[in-house]
Amino acid sequence: MRQDLPQGAQPRQGDRAYQDHDVGAAHLIAAKSPARFILAFAGLCALEKLVAIFVTGFNDDEAYTLVISRTLALSYFDHPPLHQWILHGFVALFGEGKSARLPFWAMIVATNWPLLAIARRLFGEDAGWWTVFAFNATAYFLVMPDGYIMPDTPMLLMLACAGSALAEILFAPDGDSRGLGSWLLAGFAFGLAGLAKYAAIFAPIGLFGFLLLSPRHRHWLSDYRPYLGAALALLIFSPALIWNAEHHWVSFAFQSGRAAASLSLDAKVWTAIAEGLGAQIALLSPWIAVPVALGLARAARLKAESGERFLLWLVAPPLLLFAFMPILGQRAIPHWFNSAWLFAFPLAGAWLAERGEAVLRLWARASVVLSAATAAIYVAAVDLGPQSVFGFPAVGGRDPTRYAYDWPDIRASAAWRGFNGRPPDFVVVDNWRTGGRVGVALGPGTPVCAFANDPRGFAFACDPHAQIGKDALIVAPSEYGEIALRELGGYFQSVEPGESLAVGRGGRVERQFTLARAHVLAKAFPLPYGPD
């Protein structure tokens, strides 16, 4: 039976109506397939990211995660445990270093395939390939400004896999007859996505909204199979629940506290919303943001049971929450939006696939050139610093790459060997960012304790009570080093004068720290949370 289509829409390979079209039309579509061109482009993008892995330094979040993951736990303070588990296992086999980014590079490259599968099932072959092109040409996924070692990387891969499984169940000609295994596959992927990052919860929420409002798919809400898939997802996510239950739900409290502080609708709020959306256009790349926006707009006009509306439901919850978060008194971190954009790329791919060949050719060539320029400028700026590349620090004097470089080996300093010729028993830092940098510079073997009101995962990785009676090296930013040394030194019997440590790129001093020897920890720093 021919499937009814929205007014003005054309049948596509993912539609049942497509099968009513003649073979000649299908052959014509295949003959003009952009697959080879886009595969080559995606391959070059993957190669660019592989090069960037080894020529750019860790950023603060990557360094912090690398150090925290040295301790294997059911879960962690900032996020569920999946990316720390992956990192812990890889480092155990191959050692620490830039190569620790490789599993995350492989996951972001692998995300192409379930995205291709989603768009191909819903909208046809060409839409699938243009989805891959849009994903790879997006500035954020081209240069990975927040680093590779992030919980987002496995979350996005698993969400895309879950979306692909759901597209087969809900929109394949035989989807309604699929067995329990298909729903368990979707639940398995959702569970792993949640085990990577709490933000994965938005996709199941969107799925529920779609099933509730789609007349064609509402019957699934009274079927036992989706609920068994949900049970499997919850079982996979359970390590994070157990850890939180054992630690007073501290991770949930931390993340939920970042979402709301106060309620306001003044002019500053709307300015913040506009600035946030502007940043998203920049990170998507303006030439990709246009088809993304047009694809979303079209999805909002189509029928509730359409594939476009299915994807719109997966996009809407995180997009709306993070876009309007300034109303709640907080600003969303830019990469929080990525769980929404992930499912917007197939909508962009569908919109692009319907453009004329001449327009697509011109747009694709321009996108390739702009993407190449974006990648080259970013990698050079991170590796050398904007001052070396452009002759000035950054627009407005603020360098967005100012923390994306590696520190020298602290063990070469006199302060490190100043404890009667031996190294200190542990290291004290005054914030988690410095702790990650120090931990990477030292390598595994020396505990790093954060004596701070915001210690993050260091509160669980290093218990100050276990260090009482031991000597420490204090590392504090020089701009307030005397104050920090006086405050931190108050927990020790004595502290010696500090030694300066300079860090930066290309021989330039971009930040300075003070290294001071502290003898005999007399009392533990009172951390706001930690192991009971």
Side-chain angles (χ1 to χ4, degrees):
M1 178 182 294
R2 185 179 178 88
Q3 178 185 344
D4 292 331
L5 295 170
Q7 185 175 2
Q10 296 297 317
R12 293 171 295 212
Q13 271 181 284
D15 300 323
R16 291 185 179 124
Y18 180 86
Q19 297 170 20
D20 296 333
H21 276 242
D22 56 68
V23 176
H27 177 74
L28 179 62
I29 292 173
K32 296 181 179 180
S33 173
R36 293 177 64 181
F37 161 71
I38 293 175
L39 271 175
F41 175 68
L44 288 174
C45 291
L47 181 61
E48 175 272 326
K49 285 191 276 283
L50 185 62
V51 171
I53 279 175
F54 294 100
V55 301
T56 61
F58 289 129
N59 63 28
D60 285 352
D61 285 327
E62 289 183 296
Y64 166 75
T65 304
L66 186 62
V67 175
I68 293 301
S69 69
R70 290 170 182 166
T71 303
L72 193 61
L74 271 181
S75 193
Y76 298 83
F77 176 83
D78 303 82
H79 299 289
L82 184 58
H83 75 298
Q84 289 102 326
W85 287 354
I86 293 169
L87 189 58
H88 182 91
F90 188 87
V91 166
L93 293 173
F94 301 103
E96 290 187 357
K98 301 292 181 58
S99 62
R101 290 167 158 171
L102 284 174
F104 300 88
W105 168 82
M107 284 184 281
I108 204 64
V109 172
T111 304
N112 284 290
W113 303 115
L115 278 178
L116 171 65
I118 292 171
R120 185 160 52 188
R121 165 52 61 199
L122 297 179
F123 311 126
E125 188 76 20
D126 281 9
W129 289 113
W130 287 115
T131 296
V132 170
F133 184 90
F135 176 67
N136 284 275
T138 296
Y140 185 93
F141 294 109
L142 187 66
V143 301
M144 306 295 287
D146 292 302
Y148 292 82
I149 302 174
M150 295 283 287
D152 304 67
T153 311
M155 178 190 70
L156 294 174
L157 173 59
M158 290 298 106
L159 283 181
C161 289
S164 176
L166 290 170
E168 290 296 322
I169 294 169
L170 301 175
F171 295 97
D174 61 344
D176 284 358
S177 64
R178 289 178 182 266
L180 175 61
S182 297
W183 280 104
L184 291 179
L185 178 61
F188 179 77
F190 272 137
L192 288 177
L195 201 63
K197 193 170 183 178
Y198 298 126
I201 189 59
F202 293 118
I205 291 173
L207 172 63
F208 177 79
F210 172 74
L211 295 178
L212 183 65
L213 295 181
S214 171
R216 176 182 162 192
H217 302 95
R218 194 174 296 138
H219 67 91
W220 284 115
L221 293 177
S222 59
D223 190 293
Y224 73 96
R225 286 170 287 184
Y227 298 100
L228 288 180
L232 177 60
L234 187 62
L235 177 64
I236 292 171
F237 180 68
S238 62
L241 292 174
I242 295 170
W243 186 91
N244 271 277
E246 292 175 344
H247 296 91
H248 311 290
W249 306 99
V250 64
S251 183
F252 287 168
F254 167 68
Q255 291 295 353
S256 61
R258 304 172 84 182
S262 61
L263 186 63
S264 176
L265 290 171
D266 61 21
K268 291 183 179 180
V269 166
W270 300 108
T271 300
I273 291 172
E275 290 175 349
L277 293 176
Q280 290 306 302
I281 292 173
L283 289 172
L284 279 174
S285 301
W287 54 95
I288 302 298
V290 170
V292 165
L294 292 172
L296 287 169
R298 183 174 66 175
R301 298 193 303 267
L302 296 181
K303 291 183 178 180
E305 66 267 21
S306 67
E308 288 90 346
R309 190 61 68 87
F310 164 66
L311 291 173
L312 182 61
W313 269 104
L314 298 181
V315 170
L319 179 59
L320 294 175
L321 173 64
F322 297 137
F324 292 100
M325 189 175 282
I327 294 175
L328 302 176
Q330 298 282 13
R331 287 198 182 203
I333 298 174
H335 69 254
W336 289 359
F337 286 81
N338 287 335
S339 60
W341 299 135
L342 178 75
F343 294 110
F345 289 122
L347 294 173
W351 186 88
L352 288 167
E354 296 178 2
R355 301 310 101 192
E357 185 177 351
V359 172
L360 270 181
R361 185 184 298 113
L362 178 63
W363 176 83
R365 289 175 177 174
S367 296
V368 170
V369 172
L370 290 169
S371 296
T374 299
I377 292 171
Y378 179 80
V379 171
V382 172
D383 188 41
L384 303 174
Q387 186 172 354
S388 296
V389 177
F390 305 111
F392 53 85
V395 177
R398 186 174 178 83
D399 176 6
T401 70
R402 62 194 179 280
Y403 299 142
Y405 51 82
D406 296 324
W407 283 24
D409 190 345
I410 296 175
R411 292 170 298 183
S413 67
W416 179 258
R417 292 292 177 185
F419 298 89
N420 296 321
R422 62 175 179 81
D425 299 307
F426 67 109
V427 175
V428 171
V429 297
D430 69 329
N431 66 80
W432 63 271
R433 294 180 182 276
T434 301
R437 292 299 189 176
V438 170
V440 170
L442 293 177
T446 303
V448 177
C449 286
F451 285 11
N453 293 325
D454 183 22
R456 305 286 177 96
F458 287 108
F460 302 91
C462 181
D463 183 358
H465 293 88
Q467 310 302 328
I468 291 178
K470 298 180 181 179
D471 299 334
L473 179 71
I474 297 176
V475 182
S478 294
E479 56 264 32
Y480 52 91
E482 290 186 7
I483 298 175
L485 289 180
R486 185 166 57 251
E487 292 178 351
L488 299 179
Y491 293 89
F492 293 86
Q493 289 185 2
S494 64
V495 178
E496 299 182 28
E499 171 188 345
S500 180
L501 172 72
V503 297
R505 291 165 288 189
R508 297 185 309 278
V509 176
E510 299 188 49
R511 296 187 73 192
Q512 285 190 312
F513 290 82
T514 299
L515 310 180
R517 295 187 291 271
H519 298 279
V520 187
L521 180 66
K523 58 182 178 179
F525 184 91
L527 295 174
Y529 43 76
D532 293 332

